[in-house]
Amino acid sequence: MATAESDSRLIERVGRGDREAFEQLYKRFARPVFAMAVRQLGDNGRAEDAAQETFAAVWRSAKSYKAERGSASAWLYAVARHAIIDRARQKRENAAEVPDEADTRAGPAERAEESWLTWRVHSALELLPERERSVIELAYWSGLSQTEIASYLDVPLGTVKTRTRTGLARLAGLLEEVRT
Amino acid sequence: MSDTPDFSDLVGDDLTPEEELELARVDSLLRSVPAPATEVPGSLTRRVERIGTTRPIWTRRRFAAAVALAATLAALFFGVGRWVGMGGGFNARASIVMTPGSSASQASGKIELGSRDESTGNWKMRVTVDGLPHLGGNDYYVLWLAKDGEYAGACGTFNVNGRTTVDLTASYDLSEYDDWVITRVGQNSPWLLSAEI
């Protein structure tokens, strides 16, 4: 991703105890981390615990991050995944009931692949200017038409189309190496 | 996402073939993933804001200086104590406040470092914790040292009943480690309390 280097720099600053860098990193990754936790844990309370633990681990471990070993996004993804798995394991240990339906979800490899792809896309969305991000999220996940989005945001239809197109072009650059 | 408008509705029909290819790739990516979180709960932001705000008074350098001073003072007090016929007891030379993790946000902890026993190399420690539940069965808490976020050495085990104080020892060169950590016994147990060394 084009911003990997700046993510790396933020993590390195966090490793030196830089609070402002930590806040920037939180703003950039809070939604992808929280969304992944909600999807995998299934409830907001435990997702919040896992997200908090993710950022606590980032604060504790940022000094061990080495940019030459991999991208910052992959490192953050691994930290988040670890915290979420830890939380999921606690639930399994406490669970008394056994599900009575067969698990029809994709296998672990496919789920991991989907999870990583989702993480990349959601992280890239966070880097868009708010005006572009909002129209894209409304277009793809709200079920609103372009005209309804224009009405909802109280902007001309042409503005919605321009922002959508500009946002998609920006995402194309951010997700250059990602293919479905 | 069947409700998502067609690609051409979203981007118009005046794209160059190259642009269309690139935007169609992104369009396909967006359609293949679930919706992002609508918003991050304010409570999460407040919880994360507290991370790292309990700044350790004892940075590694200050800690090393304090330890050297403590050793000098301990030797001095030991000598004076012997001279005037006193001895024994626990004298804290440094106090380290521990920060609670997300799994024990109501907990608090403090490690007081005493003198180093020159004959064995053991550091005396007094650990006080509050807000952790009493553990039943064969469970217990472990105080350990971490390096790069990983387990690197044990300092002792204990259980609690309300506010609890235990005396433990560590025989390590503490300057080689990053954090003090308290967890429940078991692999991958979350950090309940921790403090930077």
Side-chain angles (χ1 to χ4, degrees):
Chain A
M1 196 189 286
T3 57
E5 196 180 348
S6 63
D7 289 342
S8 296
R9 278 202 293 271
L10 278 181
I11 295 173
E12 283 163 3
R13 283 173 57 199
V14 172
R16 294 193 293 271
D18 187 329
R19 194 77 217 152
E20 191 193 334
F22 182 64
E23 282 163 17
Q24 280 185 48
L25 206 64
Y26 174 73
K27 280 182 191 153
R28 193 175 292 179
F29 284 95
R31 284 210 319 156
V33 168
F34 184 65
M36 182 160 80
V38 170
R39 278 197 311 281
Q40 298 188 15
L41 294 170
D43 84 72
N44 283 15
R46 289 189 312 122
E48 198 174 313
D49 287 344
Q52 184 195 2
E53 183 51 36
T54 298
F55 287 99
V58 166
W59 178 256
R60 284 195 306 264
S61 311
K63 54 181 175 272
S64 69
Y65 167 72
K66 299 276 182 284
E68 61 272 19
R69 289 192 199 157
S71 76
S73 180
W75 184 81
L76 277 158
Y77 174 76
V79 172
R81 195 162 162 270
H82 199 270
I84 292 165
I85 289 171
D86 191 38
R87 191 60 51 172
R89 189 185 297 125
Q90 285 173 18
K91 184 193 178 191
R92 280 198 297 275
E93 284 169 0
N94 296 335
E97 70 272 28
V98 176
D100 50 11
E101 286 179 18
D103 189 347
T104 56
R105 293 172 300 172
E110 289 84 356
R111 286 211 301 275
E113 183 76 20
E114 284 166 16
S115 175
W116 172 236
L117 177 65
T118 303
W119 169 267
R120 300 297 308 278
V121 173
H122 286 181
S123 302
L125 280 168
E126 295 303 309
L127 297 170
L128 296 183
E130 171 61 29
R131 62 185 183 280
E132 292 170 14
R133 183 165 63 80
S134 61
V135 293
I136 286 178
E137 291 187 4
L138 287 167
Y140 282 88
W141 295 293
S142 73
L144 296 179
S145 68
Q146 296 285 83
T147 309
E148 288 166 333
I149 292 170
S151 172
Y152 177 74
L153 295 175
D154 198 20
V155 295
L157 177 61
T159 302
V160 170
K161 288 189 178 295
T162 304
R163 288 180 186 176
T164 305
R165 199 157 136 173
T166 314
L168 289 176
R170 210 184 296 271
L171 279 176
L174 291 166
L175 296 165
E176 203 163 10
E177 78 284 21
V178 180
R179 307 274 159 187
T180 48
Chain B
M1 286 276 148
S2 58
D3 289 338
T4 306
D6 290 341
F7 176 62
S8 58
D9 287 343
L10 289 171
V11 299
D13 49 12
D14 56 342
L15 298 169
T16 65
E18 292 79 20
E19 279 178 321
E20 186 171 348
L21 202 63
E22 271 299 88
L23 299 196
R25 178 177 65 83
V26 175
D27 175 78
S28 166
L29 279 172
L30 290 168
R31 289 173 197 271
S32 71
V33 300
T38 49
E39 61 182 30
V40 173
S43 51
L44 171 61
T45 303
R46 285 190 294 277
R47 287 165 71 177
V48 170
E49 278 169 355
R50 288 202 294 268
I51 295 170
T53 52
T54 312
R55 300 294 304 155
I57 297 166
W58 297 97
T59 62
R60 192 177 300 216
R61 188 169 295 173
R62 282 184 195 165
F63 180 78
V67 161
L69 179 63
T72 307
L73 289 173
L76 183 65
F77 289 151
F78 180 69
V80 171
R82 282 184 61 159
W83 183 56
V84 298
M86 300 187 307
F90 179 88
N91 293 305
R93 307 296 183 208
S95 181
I96 301 154
V97 176
M98 301 189 84
T99 305
S102 60
S103 303
S105 54
Q106 303 304 313
S108 60
K110 180 177 70 172
I111 299 173
E112 293 170 287
L113 279 172
S115 54
R116 186 168 187 252
D117 182 333
E118 294 302 327
S119 62
T120 60
N122 291 331
W123 287 102
K124 290 180 185 170
M125 295 185 299
R126 180 158 289 176
V127 181
T128 302
V129 294
D130 198 6
L132 292 176
H134 174 75
L135 299 177
N138 295 320
D139 277 359
Y140 50 86
Y141 295 102
V142 187
L143 173 69
W144 47 278
L145 291 160
K147 175 82 177 167
D148 296 331
E150 302 291 334
Y151 173 87
C155 299
T157 63
F158 58 94
N159 203 343
V160 300
N161 188 2
R163 183 180 172 84
T164 300
T165 299
V166 290
D167 288 337
L168 302 170
T169 57
S171 57
Y172 310 102
D173 176 357
L174 299 177
S175 65
E176 306 223 331
Y177 301 90
D178 298 330
D179 303 278
W180 300 95
V181 183
I182 291 176
T183 58
R184 194 171 167 156
V185 70
Q187 280 195 326
N188 300 315
S189 174
W191 290 19
L192 302 173
L193 289 160
S194 62
E196 282 184 38
I197 291 179

